[in-house]
């Protein structure tokens, strides 16, 4: 079966611009979470969406936002980019149910802000 | 808030040998999940093994096993018969039973030498 698909793989943007990243979950996975990975801060939780609703949110400024569509695909948006937003952005999805088999991750989008 | 600590930034092991990666965590919850993920240079986080806190039996997955000490809040990963393909960054992660976010440790870079 197809895995979690994140697009694009790489992105270079200029300070002040905005960017949109996409995540398509595995079929049947309705929960989508986003993480930011940097060498200094490690892996940090951004937010989680389920059934088109934000269910949980991390400690990031309002410049970071997301949404989920009816087919469970999710996008995250970062506005007014700063140099510190350069990071690997990972999407993680899982099936809701009685057992927690863990999240399946995509290969990430490497964002570079110049 | 939960915290996860991996005190070994880097480790190396000879092919076919056994290595143990350490992880400690802090929580006031009684029920939760613990995971080990590996992240090879391809960037995709891959689930290695999971442990449910209410299960006293240590989880095993082929060459991978854990030593879960709930009272000590310790969750180490043992890799037996190490293979070159095990070379990766390994992350320990915590998740509340009722929550959705993963809290990650800083990671341990494991290198398997031929």
């Amino acid at each position: 079966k197809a895995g979690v698909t994140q697009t694009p793989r790489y992105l270079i943007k200029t300070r002040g611009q905005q960017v949109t990243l996409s995540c398509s979950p595995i079929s049947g996975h309705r929960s989508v979470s986003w993480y930011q990975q940097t060498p200094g801060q490690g892996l940090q939780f951004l937010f989680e969406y389920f059934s088109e609703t934000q269910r949980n949110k991390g400690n990031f400024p309002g410049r970071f936002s997301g949404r989920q569509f009816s087919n469970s695909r999710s996008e995250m948006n970062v506005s007014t980019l700063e140099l510190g937003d350069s990071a690997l952005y990972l999407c993680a999805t899982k099936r809701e149910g009685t057992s927690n088999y863990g999240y399946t991750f995509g290969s990430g989008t490497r964002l570079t802000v110049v | 808030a939960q915290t996860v600590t991996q005190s070994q930034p880097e480790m190396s092991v000879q092919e076919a040998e056994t290595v143990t990666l350490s992880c400690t965590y802090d929580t006031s919850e009684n029920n939760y999940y613990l995971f080990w993920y590996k992240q090879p240079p391809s960037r995709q986080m891959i689930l290695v093994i999971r442990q449910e806190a209410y299960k006293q039996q240590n989880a095993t997955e082929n060459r991978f096993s854990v030593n879960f000490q709930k009272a000590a809040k310790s969750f180490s990963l043992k890799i037996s018969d190490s293979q070159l393909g095990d070379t990766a960054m390994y992350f320990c992660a915590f998740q509340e039973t009722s929550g959705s976010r993963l809290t990650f440790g800083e990671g341990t870079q494991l290198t398997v030498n031929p």
Side-chain angles (χ1 to χ4, degrees):
Chain A
K1 60 181 181 182
V4 178
T5 303
Q6 289 190 246
T7 56
R9 289 265 295 172
Y10 300 91
L11 207 49
I12 300 176
K13 289 287 188 178
T14 304
R15 274 180 300 175
Q17 287 186 312
Q18 75 164 12
V19 66
T20 298
L21 312 182
S22 177
C23 172
S24 293
I26 293 173
S27 177
H29 286 200
R30 296 168 60 199
S31 167
V32 178
S33 296
W34 289 88
Y35 290 84
Q36 181 195 65
Q37 185 176 20
T38 60
Q41 299 297 317
L43 283 146
Q44 293 188 288
F45 173 78
L46 280 155
F47 29 64
E48 185 224 3
Y49 285 86
F50 177 74
S51 290
E52 303 177 63
T53 301
Q54 188 180 87
R55 191 160 68 171
N56 205 344
K57 187 178 189 303
N59 296 323
F60 278 82
R63 299 185 298 107
F64 292 81
S65 62
R67 59 178 175 170
Q68 186 179 34
F69 302 93
S70 59
N71 62 356
S72 296
R73 188 177 73 87
S74 177
E75 290 181 346
M76 68 163 282
N77 183 277
V78 188
S79 62
T80 319
L81 283 165
E82 301 177 358
L83 295 179
D85 297 333
S86 294
L88 178 66
Y89 289 88
L90 291 164
C91 164
T93 76
K94 76 178 179 78
R95 183 188 303 272
E96 293 289 301
T98 55
S99 293
N100 183 357
Y101 293 104
Y103 284 90
T104 302
F105 282 78
S107 295
T109 294
R110 172 78 67 187
L111 171 66
T112 302
V113 182
V114 297
Chain B
Q2 290 78 18
T3 59
V4 179
T5 302
Q6 294 178 248
S7 58
Q8 305 152 314
E10 297 179 356
M11 293 193 73
S12 62
V13 64
Q14 292 300 120
E15 196 174 8
E17 308 243 313
T18 295
V19 64
T20 299
L21 309 184
S22 300
C23 172
T24 58
Y25 58 93
D26 188 26
T27 183
S28 58
E29 302 290 323
N30 190 47
N31 293 320
Y32 45 86
Y33 298 96
L34 294 164
F35 304 91
W36 279 97
Y37 281 90
K38 66 181 278 190
Q39 187 178 39
S42 67
R43 308 179 331 198
Q44 184 176 13
M45 299 278 276
I46 301 166
L47 179 63
V48 175
I49 200 165
R50 62 187 277 272
Q51 175 80 42
E52 298 172 72
Y54 66 88
K55 289 186 176 179
Q56 294 190 346
Q57 185 175 7
N58 289 325
T60 63
E61 286 287 342
N62 301 312
R63 298 183 294 108
F64 299 88
S65 61
V66 298
N67 183 3
F68 173 48
Q69 301 289 328
K70 190 172 183 179
K73 296 180 181 175
S74 170
F75 183 61
S76 61
L77 173 69
K78 185 173 82 170
I79 307 174
S80 304
D81 185 26
S82 296
Q83 301 175 359
L84 296 178
D86 294 334
T87 293
M89 181 73 84
Y90 285 79
F91 292 95
C92 177
F94 172 99
Q95 182 182 7
E96 293 177 12
T97 302
S98 59
S100 53
R101 77 173 67 188
L102 289 166
T103 301
F104 288 91
E106 307 91 334
T108 297
Q109 176 63 51
L110 176 67
T111 302
V112 180
N113 299 308

